[in-house]
Amino acid sequence: MAEYYAKSSDSLSFELINDAQLTGKITYKSWFNFNAVIELADHQSFQVEPKGLWGTTIELKDNEKVLLKFRMNWNGEIIVQTYFDGVKESFVFKHRGVFKDSFVLTDKVGTELLVMKPQFKWNLLNYEYQITTSNDFEMYSNKDILLLTSLHCANYYMSMMVVV
C-alpha cells in the first residue's frame, strides 16, 4: 500500500508526489480542454488527446502509439483500456459516495486498486487529491502512467459533472 498526493499549483497542472518525491505531472493546455501532457519523473512524456467526433474517447499516446484509452459510459463509470507491452487490460474508474466523495479504480474482476479522495481548495478554486493504492496496484509495471491517467479521469469526471 502506498500514499500519493496530487497537488495543483494552478488550475492547469498537477504534480503527483509520493514520499516527498515527484512521481510525475499532468499539464493541461487550457481550461475545460482534455488535451494534456503527462510527464513521468524520468522525463518520459505522453500526450493525452480526445478522439472521435465528440471527443468522448480519450487516448494516451507515446508519439503515435496508443498505450491507453478511456471513455465514460452511460452510468458514469469510466472504462480504461491499456495496451502496455502488447497486452490489453481493462479497468473501471468510478465515483463513489455522495457526502464522502471518492473515486475508485478497479480491475476487471472488481478488485480495488486505488482510492482517490478529492479535496476542494478554495484559494485555488481547484481540487487536490489524496490517493491510496493497494499492494496489487504497486506491482504494476506501468503504475505511474495509470496513476496519472486516473488523476486525469477524476478531472474529466469533475468537468463532465459541471457541464451536465
Side-chain angles (χ1 to χ4, degrees):
M1 194 158 79
E3 293 282 330
Y4 296 83
Y5 190 68
K7 184 175 174 146
S8 178
S9 56
D10 57 36
S11 60
L12 298 178
S13 64
F14 289 83
E15 289 185 340
L16 187 63
I17 298 164
N18 171 259
D19 288 334
Q21 296 285 347
L22 180 68
T23 300
K25 63 183 180 179
I26 185 166
T27 306
Y28 295 94
K29 306 251 189 235
S30 65
W31 262 42
F32 295 106
N33 186 331
F34 300 125
N35 288 5
V37 173
I38 287 178
E39 185 177 345
L40 301 181
D42 66 3
H43 302 291
Q44 281 184 286
S45 68
F46 307 91
Q47 302 76 39
V48 182
E49 305 169 344
K51 289 299 282 183
L53 181 63
W54 303 105
T56 55
T57 298
I58 312 287
E59 292 182 340
L60 179 128
K61 293 180 175 182
D62 182 7
N63 293 315
E64 291 303 311
K65 183 178 181 184
V66 175
L67 299 177
L68 180 151
K69 59 179 153 182
F70 65 86
R71 64 178 164 69
M72 188 177 287
N73 67 11
W74 61 272
N75 64 356
E77 295 176 343
I78 297 175
I79 308 304
V80 180
Q81 293 178 321
T82 63
Y83 305 97
F84 300 122
D85 304 318
V87 177
K88 181 179 177 183
E89 286 190 80
S90 296
F91 302 90
V92 177
F93 185 87
K94 57 187 169 185
H95 182 256
R96 178 170 71 182
V98 175
F99 299 110
K100 289 193 178 231
D101 275 345
S102 63
F103 296 98
V104 179
L105 181 72
T106 62
D107 64 13
K108 62 184 170 195
V109 294
T111 304
E112 279 189 12
L113 299 174
L114 69 80
V115 175
M116 182 180 291
K117 296 181 181 177
Q119 300 165 339
F120 189 72
K121 298 294 181 183
W122 284 100
N123 58 333
L124 297 172
L125 295 176
N126 204 6
Y127 285 93
E128 293 184 354
Y129 301 91
Q130 179 183 351
I131 305 165
T132 306
T133 61
S134 70
N135 291 332
D136 289 341
F137 183 83
E138 289 299 312
M139 301 301 287
Y140 280 97
S141 59
N142 293 292
K143 69 176 180 169
D144 294 345
I145 295 173
L146 206 48
L147 267 166
L148 287 157
T149 299
S150 295
L151 177 58
H152 188 64
C153 286
N155 290 330
Y156 177 74
Y157 184 91
M158 297 292 216
S159 66
M160 292 304 282
M161 293 306 107
V162 170
V163 174
V164 174

